[in-house]
Amino acid sequence: MAPAAAPHKSVFAVPPLVRAVFDAFPLVTYPACPAPARCPPPSSRPRLYAWSTPAEARKPGGGYSFDPECLKWQMYLRFCGVKFTTVPSNSSACPSSSGGLPFLIPPPPPPPPNAMPPSPPPPPITAPKLVQWARSRSQHGRGEDDDGDIERGDVQAFLELLDNEIHDAVLYTTHMHPPNLHNLTVPLYAPCAASTPLLRPLMAAQLRAAALARLRRPHPGTLDRDSIFADAAAALDALSMLLGADSWFFNGKAPGLLDAAVFAYLNVILTAGWAEDWPGGLGWAVRRRQNLVAFRERVHEWCQGGVVDK
Amino acid sequence: MMELHIWGPAFGLPSIDPECLAAIAYFRCIPDLNPPSPTSKPWRIVPSSNPLLSPTRTLPALRDEHVWIGGGFNGVVEYLRKKSDGKWDLDIDLRGENTNGRQYDDGGDEELPAHAATSYTWAESVAYSSFIRSRLGSLLDISLYISEVNYANATRPEYSKSGMLPWPVQYYVPGQKRAQAWDRSEEVLRKYGLGPADVDPIRVLDSPASSGLETNAVGAGVGTGSEFGAGKGPGGVSSVFGKRPSASIAGVVFKLQTLILRSLTPVAARLVAADADPALGFYFFKREHPTSIDCLILGYLCLAIYPELPNPFLAEGIQELDGGRDGKRVCAWTHEFRKKVFGSTPIDGSKILNSENECPDAAEGILPWGKVESADLPWLTGQFASAAAQYIDGWIPSWARKKEEKPKKPETEEEQERRLKLERAVRKDKAARIATVVVGIGAFIAFLFSSGIISVVSLAEDVEDVEEELEEMEREEQEDLEGSQIDASSVTAEDLFDFFPAGAGGEGRNEGKDEGGERAGGDEDRGPEKGNTEE
């Protein structure tokens, strides 16, 4: 289908004389300016950008994020023994290819020894690829039996349970209930609104509309609060039964992604201080399962006394 | 008599919706509700396709005498469990004695209780239900609704050909369902780096010139490849006209297959026994009787395997699971369970929906069909009123709302204050929403008046207008008359003789004058005058 004429005779080719002139440019290359003072200094540690408050992020080890998804990845990195810093961030900082927080910026590779130009900085790692990256950097030796851990059907099924039923109930509690929306969610997810009172109703409406759209997907009819929380309570019962008396889920020797995810949701449910003014909320459903509360306490102590360091 | 309301039949299956198929399968698996024929069953299937009937606006919905039960599949199952005190609960032995889990409150013993094994299966049932609904649901959405080719040629005609949706619902409900499917699967597609338009071009592998098109499954249903072959496909993925599949299309194929693999392998692994040991049970938990998870799996797999689609990537992907071994077994499981539950003959939707008798029975009386209520004016009014009410989001009419239970324990001051504050906040919210709607409608009406589309003319003004018109007419007549009088004043004395001739002599004198000679100026005056009087 190409025309018969050869491409190099095309009208738009630059004549060689002109090309020789342009090859002389740039005439002078100035040395690079130093980065602005506010730029984070290049650190050897990977940086995890997550929803967090500055006070929480300054704690040794990075503290706990208030968003279940971010906290899940924080805990998974800790379980893998990866040392990282948590950077409080928001959804405007996300790289375009990803859906949202959290994402991780790996440390730059060491400069090559024979004075070649430094390799370009590595791209940010978004949540779907974080598992592989964490495994590859893991300090602990992960045995053969752990390699198939995440891909097991059972693990996938229970992760879906957390992502669907329990996540929906958490979203309802934080975004659809006006006291929680205005007192907790907007100050945490939109801290800009604290300084400008005019922004507060706008951000509240935006957050609520996004949550409603997200909740409408699995519930195309009316949003029935009782059924959402009944499903979440059944899901928590199922998790409690799965855990039984073991230390880690599926009686594993070491914690995995499911443990990280369950801890993330339990921590948010138990420590967020929500107002749940209806019978059968998430706090009630968790507190009646002692093994879940004990699990959360155990992992919290593991975090305090374990690998955490500055 | 219990009525199970579902979306109508399609593709030879009892319903086009997987949750409705699961609900029908659940009813069919309860022995009490399915006495051997010719005893009639105590329940009916009504393919009303009307989600507004249910309190939660989703189907399947159950109607027991005069009570409506919403909540979809879970709600129906829960109601049957409560109504029969557990006799109609397929999961009863999965739960074991662990109905409220008291024994776990003390923390764990080292040795698990004896029935913990069965409780663990109930936990698995809950987890896999969620897994199937989200993963297989996304796959069904992509296959039936997002794929342009499939939607236009298979799914959309199913809604219209058997008449399951009355006027005017038939024009917008399929589009609504498609929009919901887009919302649900957008995340999944994005995670795999696929766009909505990438789903279809995987079938454009051969040009019309090559012989591959005849064997290509696309050819028969869709027409020649030239529809897709000319230029770029719908999403910008260019077609391969007479060439081998480009890398992008192969990449899309691989990604879709990965999606199918990751969603179905866990389920397939449970459905097929590793050794095909006949001693193991047939169902998901390897028991002798089905559970609710089996019904759910059947509902979703039926819609994945049986519809004949122009772009059958899902059915083919299932058949190729684990190199075809698992795939064959999954299809065989679905086939057998479907035969048991729905009957082996495909269901003819138009026959059921358009039949005149009270209980149109197809498929050898296996499924007890009921009659759909006709779409008349009260129904139509109800549709519009419900649609308007839904704009005040979350508003449920009082007859559908569940009774709020008052807290039983005495409230402290603080709790009561919080509850009152909460109620005030909720009321303020609702008032703000209603005010927005009212102000909006008022502004629209004001705009109609101000722009002159509607003009208001009162009766008094009418009368005044008419009087004015009459006056004008009179004035015009007078002017006309005056005009003619002014003309008359220029008549000379001689002319008057024309008007008033004095007997015959006058006439003779006139004629004599005319015949005799000409008088200066007179004739000329008379000429026009005569002309005037003649007029």
Side-chain angles (χ1 to χ4, degrees), chain A residues 5-69:
Chain A
H8 70 266
K9 288 281 191 230
S10 139
V11 174
F12 297 109
V14 178
L17 200 61
V18 181
R19 197 185 299 147
V21 170
F22 277 101
D23 277 346
F25 286 84
L27 295 172
V28 174
T29 305
Y30 291 105
C33 294
R38 270 192 303 178
C39 268
S43 74
S44 56
R45 274 201 191 177
R47 292 196 302 273
L48 182 75
Y49 285 73
W51 288 107
S52 188
T53 53
E56 193 69 33
R58 273 194 289 268
K59 288 189 187 162
Y64 294 139
S65 161
F66 54 78
D67 181 56
E69 178 77 16

Side-chain angles (χ1 to χ4, degrees), chain A residues 69 73 98-99 102 125-133, chain B residues 190-191:
Chain A
E69 178 77 16
W73 290 112
S98 81
I125 299 181
T126 52
K129 306 217 174 22
L130 210 47
V131 176
Q132 288 162 298
W133 184 89
Chain B
R190 202 157 27 102
K191 201 165 94 167

Side-chain angles (χ1 to χ4, degrees), chain A residues 93-120:
Chain A
C94 297
S96 56
S97 58
S98 81
L101 295 180
F103 64 92
L104 183 123
I105 296 195
N114 42 3
M116 291 200 29
S119 49

Side-chain angles (χ1 to χ4, degrees), chain A residues 98-99 128 151 153-154 156-158 160-161 164-165 177-179 208 212 214 216-217 220-222 224-226 231 234-235 237-238 240-242 244-245 250 275-277 288-291, chain B residues 55-58 74 98 100-101 104-109 112 119-120 122-124 126-128 130-131 134-135 180 183-184 187 190-191 262 266 270 390 393 396 402 404 418 422 425 429:
Chain A
S98 81
E151 295 302 321
D154 289 354
Q156 290 284 317
F158 282 96
E160 283 286 331
L161 196 64
N164 294 338
E165 262 88 14
H177 190 53
R208 187 171 190 269
L212 191 60
R214 170 69 179 82
R216 278 250 165 86
R217 284 188 217 153
T222 54
D224 186 15
R225 181 188 72 201
D226 293 336
D231 285 343
D237 287 350
S240 164
M241 278 172 212
L242 179 64
F250 289 108
E276 290 179 295
D277 301 305
R288 69 179 185 159
R289 296 283 171 192
Q290 274 305 311
N291 63 344
Chain B
T56 53
R57 304 283 191 267
T58 50
N74 287 356
N98 188 21
N100 45 11
Y104 286 109
D105 286 348
D106 309 317
D109 306 315
L112 291 172
S119 311
Y120 175 70
W122 183 77
E124 277 196 323
V126 171
Y128 273 97
S130 172
F131 180 83
S134 68
R135 298 281 181 101
Q180 285 168 2
D183 280 339
R184 280 195 296 259
E187 263 184 65
R190 202 157 27 102
K191 201 165 94 167
R262 297 194 61 190
R270 299 295 291 251
Q390 271 208 305
D393 71 328
I396 307 175
K402 282 194 274 229
E404 283 279 340
R418 271 199 14 216
L422 167 69
D429 217 7

